[in-house]
Amino acid sequence: MATHAPTTHTKTTITRTRTAMQSNGPATATDTLVIYVATEDAPSKVHAILVHVCMTPQDVSDTILACFGVQARDTHRVLRLTRSSNDKIVIPVAALTLLPPNTLDTPYLAVIAASVDAALAESRAKDRSDEFETVYEEIEGLKRQLRFVKKHVAGSDASGAGTPAAPVTSFRGEMLSDEEAGELVSNLEMIGLEMGFMRALQIDTTVFRRFLFGIKDAFDKSPAPVDFFQSYQMTNAVIHLLKSANSMMAYGSPIGNLVNLLTILTYGLRKSLSESEQKSKLAVKPSAKDQLDILLSLFNDPATNFLIQLDDMDFKEFKETLKRVLLMLTSPRSFLADMPLPKSKPTNGNGAKLQKPTSSWISIAPKSGAGIKRRGSLDGLNLSKSKQISTGAPVDFKKSFATTEPVVVPPRAVSGKENTKGPEQSVPTVAVSKDSPPTVAVSKDSPQDVPLREDKVLRERNLARIYEQEGVDKELATLIRQDMLELNPNVRWTDIAGNEAAKTLLAEALVLPAIMPEFFKGIRRPWRGILMTGPPGTGKTMLAKAVATECGTTFFNVSASTLASKWRGESEKLVRTLFTMARIHAPSTIFIDEVDSVSSARGSSSESEATRRVKSELLIQMDGAGGSTTKMVNGGEPVVMVLAATNLPWLLDEAMRRRLEKRIYIGPPDLFGREQMLKLCVKDIVLAENVDLEVVARKTEGFSGSDITTLCRDAAMMKLREKMRNLKPSEMHALKPEELDVPIDMKDFEDALARVQSSLSGADVERYDQWLADYGSA
Ligand SMILES: Nc1ncnc2c1ncn2[C@@H]1O[C@H](COP(=O)(O)OP(=O)(O)OP(=O)(O)O)[C@@H](O)[C@H]1O
């Protein structure tokens, strides 16, 4: 079959983004992957399907490979792309429904460009009802649009029988008119958003589709004065809200629930009203502000049982309101500028009324009496963090719609919090035992949900906007994300031997303020900074990484020497950007290793002009004076902690030392810690019966954790060395693994002990002792 050359359109909205495929350089984390597709009907036209921003370079290349290299492979544990006989990429519907909630917006993968043939066939096999066919009508249409035709874009053999797609550099990306792009994207959105919506409701795909199409159908037939276009717009608004607010994440928050609820109620209400009633109700037009106040009350009150009753609906206003809610979630700064948060929160312990809106549009108050029924099934709507994986019964929309009764949101459905007890009554405590990692024990009465974190909702698409609003330099942001943002260092408390006090302290200082910022105010305000000091190799970096892994805060890992050298000239800006980003992604921890190198005492010989400037900026930022106006969704201040480490605390500038309010010593492990450390080191090797780790621990007094690691490595190599000593290379190659895997015995440890010395001197330790006696605070 002949290769179809893509038509070129001069204007395009999608291809303005750099594609990994088109770039010569390596893919970067902020690349947008654009996959081009053509339709069967119009093969000469190539449409673009945007895929996603901010995949890691590996994700980008893997995705390309998976899509165009047409290899059957498991991509990112998320999505299995398979090659069908006619060389299409098929994303089985099962895979689609299994996509994790954040798929569309996170670094993992967001390919949603595929033939839905298989999905359709598979689904049909399961459900043959007419209704189902209707549901899939649109998908049938999409099917034609969403086919991967690498032949058209990559110039390879259309039969698909030949070689894999041509190198990605052959893609051309300038052939999409605005209109075509718009159409295609909105279709794609339909698919993606359906998924999002479905997840928000935690129902299965089929039910969800029925729901969506049911709405559409009913609106179509409805005699209501609101025409289909408007209603469709409303549905779209909801969908857009979910999408744009990165609903995949937001559904853990009240917003998803609220929107779902409003939609359902709207529909139910309209069904239940006569035309004249509808007209009269629609005549009432509450202001957007009224509506917004209500929504804000909902968001702001963590402890109320809500009843939302929709008395009236105006789609335009509704849309406006949703937009504003979206704005609030995605761009708190501009939202706040426009519409200050209400000053007083409604306080309500057991059902007293919240602020009564001046309009009748929505009333919020637990009403008792006729017309109100609790619907257990709506429990499934409570998707607060602690319940995200709820398998509550699917909502039967048909039933819900048929009712004339408003739906009652069950307790906790919106905020996930049941009581009004302030955090003072129920502060989580951090418990660390010698045997177990620190755990945050949340008392029975305490709020069980981590407050809504901005970074949960501000996903990639919105981040760019937020960054822009906060004046974050794009290039620096990319560098920081690449070089300093550690997503999961994968070090757990249990990987660290000893240092129990430090673990407890770090957990307390870093976890709790992130969980309950409202409690850590005034005198309880979180530490501005924490300094870990001690000899080299004692686990300071590991502790910082464990903080990142265990505490769930966004973790920026910064080497102070990098700050001072690599970015010379730009260093202050880098520091500013770093803190701004940390606020945006709050709660965050900024770990500054070797802090002495950027914060040596004024006038000392090591202080260059550049260092001085970086230091000053660091001090300003730590004071919060250079802070952005970013607010958490709950209106609080973003929690940004600085965690610093140094082997040379005595070099620290006094100003920096003051800001690192909590100063803790991470010393060489004690006997118990050394034994633990030894156990950790040898956990994967076979030990002979005669090995007594306690004896080894006794002989390693003064060893740092790093020294013990070296010792174990040495011991573990002894047998291997002996075996290899007199062998020729060819004989070495012939050795079988099992011949090498000989148990390590006590003599190996003794030999290693003779070779490996403690790297710490008594004098070093004394110097730390002295410094801590003067300045320590833990
Ligand atoms: N307490 C510990 N538990 C487990 N491993 C440890 C511990 N202390 C040190 N180690 C081992 O030593 C190595 C070095 O530790 P780490 O880099 O955390 O020390 P550090 O105190 O940050 O050193 P430096 O001050 O030189 O940066 C680690 O990779 C780990 O293998």
Side-chain angles (χ1 to χ4, degrees):
M1 200 187 286
T3 300
H4 297 271
T7 326
T8 300
H9 296 277
T10 46
K11 215 173 161 202
T12 166
T13 49
I14 290 185
T15 52
R16 65 175 185 264
T17 42
R18 185 168 96 109
T19 75
M21 305 168 254
Q22 289 167 318
S23 66
N24 293 327
T28 70
T30 48
D31 269 340
T32 295
L33 180 60
V34 181
I35 297 180
Y36 299 97
V37 295
T39 63
E40 273 184 347
D41 326 2
S44 61
K45 279 189 188 163
V46 173
H47 298 276
I49 291 189
L50 87 142
V51 185
H52 253 261
V53 213
C54 199
M55 295 190 282
T56 63
Q58 188 60 39
D59 287 332
V60 172
S61 56
D62 279 2
T63 307
I64 295 167
L65 266 182
C67 296
F68 294 97
V70 205
Q71 297 278 333
R73 53 188 292 156
D74 189 0
T75 311
H76 307 280
R77 310 172 300 278
V78 169
L79 188 58
R80 190 176 290 279
L81 297 173
T82 51
R83 181 186 187 175
S84 70
S85 53
N86 55 355
D87 213 9
K88 287 177 302 195
I89 305 291
V90 173
I91 301 181
V93 78
L96 282 176
T97 55
L98 285 172
L99 289 174
N102 50 3
T103 299
L104 294 182
D105 288 303
T106 62
Y108 292 120
L109 176 67
V111 174
I112 302 299
S115 158
V116 292
D117 269 345
L120 192 60
E122 185 183 318
S123 309
R124 267 188 187 144
K126 286 186 192 148
D127 185 343
R128 301 193 163 277
S129 72
D130 290 343
E131 188 187 358
F132 187 76
E133 291 297 326
T134 320
V135 164
Y136 267 100
E137 231 172 63
E138 284 206 20
I139 297 184
E140 278 278 16
L142 290 172
K143 174 187 78 172
R144 289 192 294 278
Q145 282 190 333
L146 299 183
R147 216 158 259 168
F148 270 56
V149 278
K150 67 173 184 169
K151 59 197 176 190
H152 298 309
V153 285
S156 64
D157 186 344
S159 70
T163 49
V168 290
T169 45
S170 70
F171 283 99
R172 297 168 53 185
E174 65 292 326
M175 60 295 280
L176 199 73
S177 74
D178 279 349
E179 209 181 311
E180 287 165 325
E183 192 194 337
L184 196 60
V185 168
S186 70
N187 281 336
L188 278 173
E189 279 173 355
M190 276 304 287
I191 290 188
L193 296 171
E194 277 185 18
M195 295 298 156
F197 207 110
M198 175 198 78
R199 287 204 169 71
L201 295 165
Q202 294 214 335
I203 55 174
D204 71 48
T205 344
T206 315
V207 175
F208 171 72
R209 288 192 171 121
R210 284 194 187 129
F211 162 63
L212 253 200
F213 283 84
I215 288 186
K216 202 173 143 193
D217 192 44
F219 274 131
D220 268 337
K221 293 177 192 150
S222 165
V226 181
D227 66 17
F228 174 73
F229 178 74
Q230 277 174 301
S231 60
Y232 190 71
Q233 287 297 309
M234 186 207 74
T235 312
N236 259 358
V238 173
I239 287 175
H240 271 277
L241 178 84
L242 286 166
K243 170 181 166 262
S244 310
N246 293 319
S247 61
M248 316 302 162
M249 299 310 298
Y251 79 58
S253 75
I255 179 70
N257 300 340
L258 180 66
V259 171
N260 301 335
L261 201 63
L262 290 180
T263 313
I264 296 163
L265 290 175
T266 308
Y267 184 80
L269 182 85
R270 295 202 54 230
K271 284 283 277 188
S272 68
L273 294 177
S274 70
E275 193 174 339
S276 61
E277 277 173 324
Q278 286 186 31
K279 273 185 181 145
S280 72
K281 290 209 178 266
L282 286 167
V284 183
K285 292 202 192 304
S287 74
K289 170 143 186 4
D290 284 341
Q291 298 176 28
L292 192 67
D293 281 347
I294 308 304
L295 292 174
L296 287 172
S297 319
L298 283 172
F299 292 134
N300 283 334
D301 190 335
T304 312
N305 301 340
F306 294 114
L307 163 66
I308 304 171
Q309 187 187 344
L310 227 63
D311 291 335
D312 202 349
M313 172 54 68
D314 176 286
F315 289 113
K316 200 158 159 265
E317 299 244 359
F318 179 68
K319 250 179 84 177
E320 279 308 308
T321 306
L322 289 183
K323 267 194 208 153
R324 302 187 70 107
V325 175
L326 170 63
L327 187 67
M328 178 178 75
L329 283 170
T330 56
S331 176
R333 190 182 175 188
S334 29
F335 176 78
L336 290 172
D338 197 14
M339 173 68 69
L341 290 161
K343 283 191 185 69
S344 58
K345 287 183 182 178
T347 51
N348 184 343
N350 44 17
K353 283 187 180 182
L354 291 169
Q355 296 163 294
K356 181 90 174 115
T358 48
S359 91
S360 62
W361 183 67
I362 304 175
S363 63
I364 305 170
K367 284 188 189 171
S368 57
I372 298 166
K373 212 187 213 172
R374 269 171 199 268
R375 249 171 230 289
S377 64
L378 279 176
D379 262 333
L381 294 180
N382 178 7
L383 301 171
S384 61
K385 234 180 163 184
S386 56
K387 281 205 168 183
Q388 279 188 17
I389 350 181
S390 148
T391 49
V395 180
D396 182 345
F397 293 106
K398 287 240 151 94
K399 240 183 178 170
S400 299
F401 298 160
T403 182
T404 57
E405 297 156 351
V407 182
V408 177
V409 187
R412 306 184 79 249
V414 173
S415 67
K417 294 172 186 180
E418 259 170 343
N419 63 60
T420 50
K421 281 185 184 162
E424 281 85 350
Q425 287 121 320
S426 51
V427 185
T429 51
V430 177
V432 183
S433 81
K434 288 209 167 212
D435 308 318
S436 64
T439 51
V440 179
V442 182
S443 84
K444 208 165 130 243
D445 290 338
S446 70
Q448 296 193 352
D449 294 332
V450 176
L452 183 61
R453 279 174 25 178
E454 272 194 353
D455 69 330
K456 285 284 179 196
V457 278
L458 307 179
R459 282 322 213 195
E460 294 309 325
R461 265 181 269 167
N462 299 319
L463 268 180
R465 191 149 43 89
I466 304 277
Y467 284 174
E468 202 177 322
Q469 278 160 6
E470 292 291 331
V472 172
D473 180 291
K474 270 192 203 151
E475 210 179 326
L476 285 178
T478 308
L479 289 172
I480 288 171
R481 293 181 68 161
Q482 274 173 357
D483 292 358
M484 301 176 187
L485 188 63
E486 288 217 26
L487 291 177
N488 182 10
N490 206 15
V491 176
R492 319 230 55 127
W493 294 126
T494 41
D495 296 331
I496 302 173
N499 287 316
E500 303 305 332
K503 287 183 208 169
T504 309
L505 197 140
L506 288 172
E508 267 175 13
L510 296 161
V511 180
L512 296 187
I515 293 179
M516 40 193 315
E518 67 280 5
F519 181 76
F520 286 86
K521 282 182 178 155
I523 190 73
R524 297 194 193 104
R525 72 169 170 74
W527 303 108
R528 243 181 311 190
I530 299 173
L531 177 71
M532 292 186 290
T533 186
T538 46
K540 297 184 287 299
T541 311
M542 279 191 92
L543 279 165
K545 291 189 170 174
V547 165
T549 316
E550 302 274 7
C551 301
T553 58
T554 316
F555 191 76
F556 296 86
N557 190 349
V558 186
S559 152
S561 55
T562 312
L563 281 185
S565 62
K566 195 166 168 188
W567 312 102
R568 197 156 289 174
E570 288 258 55
S571 295
E572 301 134 88
K573 200 169 161 196
L574 184 73
V575 172
R576 259 197 312 278
T577 311
L578 174 68
F579 275 80
T580 308
M581 285 174 68
R583 288 182 191 106
I584 292 172
H585 291 269
S588 306
T589 306
I590 300 178
F591 174 56
I592 307 178
D593 207 357
E594 319 161 37
V595 66
D596 53 283
S597 66
V598 79
S599 173
S600 43
R602 271 169 228 265
S604 70
S605 54
S606 58
E607 192 184 39
S608 68
E609 183 51 36
T611 333
R612 210 175 357 260
R613 288 205 312 263
V614 172
K615 181 170 68 183
S616 304
E617 190 59 47
L618 260 179
L619 296 177
I620 292 171
Q621 292 297 333
M622 287 172 76
D623 281 342
S628 73
T629 51
T630 307
K631 288 260 187 271
M632 299 298 285
V633 172
N634 63 11
E637 292 296 324
V639 176
V640 175
M641 302 263 193
V642 173
L643 180 59
T646 179
N647 302 332
L648 307 166
W650 37 86
L651 293 187
L652 279 189
D653 181 22
E654 194 196 322
M656 177 59 80
R657 196 174 58 227
R658 248 187 299 118
R659 281 162 183 83
L660 296 169
E661 299 162 300
K662 199 84 187 151
R663 298 180 279 268
I664 53 179
Y665 179 57
I666 313 294
D670 59 11
L671 178 65
F672 177 79
R674 294 199 298 278
E675 197 180 337
Q676 250 193 321
M677 179 82 218
L678 285 164
K679 283 182 185 158
L680 278 175
C681 288
V682 299
K683 69 177 188 304
D684 296 325
I685 52 179
V686 188
L687 296 181
E689 293 262 308
N690 68 353
V691 173
D692 186 340
L693 292 179
E694 197 194 323
V695 173
V696 182
R698 286 189 191 287
K699 293 186 176 176
T700 50
E701 182 155 10
F703 276 48
S704 68
S706 167
D707 295 335
I708 294 176
T709 310
T710 313
L711 175 85
C712 291
R713 196 169 293 150
D714 219 52
M717 291 297 287
M718 289 293 176
K719 288 273 184 299
L720 186 68
R721 280 197 202 110
E722 271 168 31
K723 260 227 143 42
M724 298 288 195
R725 192 163 296 144
N726 300 316
L727 294 185
K728 296 187 193 123
S730 57
E731 291 168 324
M732 288 182 192
H733 279 294
L735 279 175
K736 296 195 179 110
E738 53 274 22
E739 289 179 72
L740 298 173
D741 205 8
V742 186
I744 311 300
D745 59 26
M746 201 60 181
K747 179 161 181 312
D748 295 323
F749 278 103
E750 270 151 17
D751 289 349
L753 273 168
R755 299 153 68 110
V756 178
Q757 310 299 324
S758 158
S759 59
L760 310 178
S761 73
D764 289 341
V765 176
E766 265 174 38
R767 194 158 186 200
Y768 287 109
D769 284 349
Q770 184 56 50
W771 188 85
L772 283 155
D774 294 341
Y775 304 111
S777 65

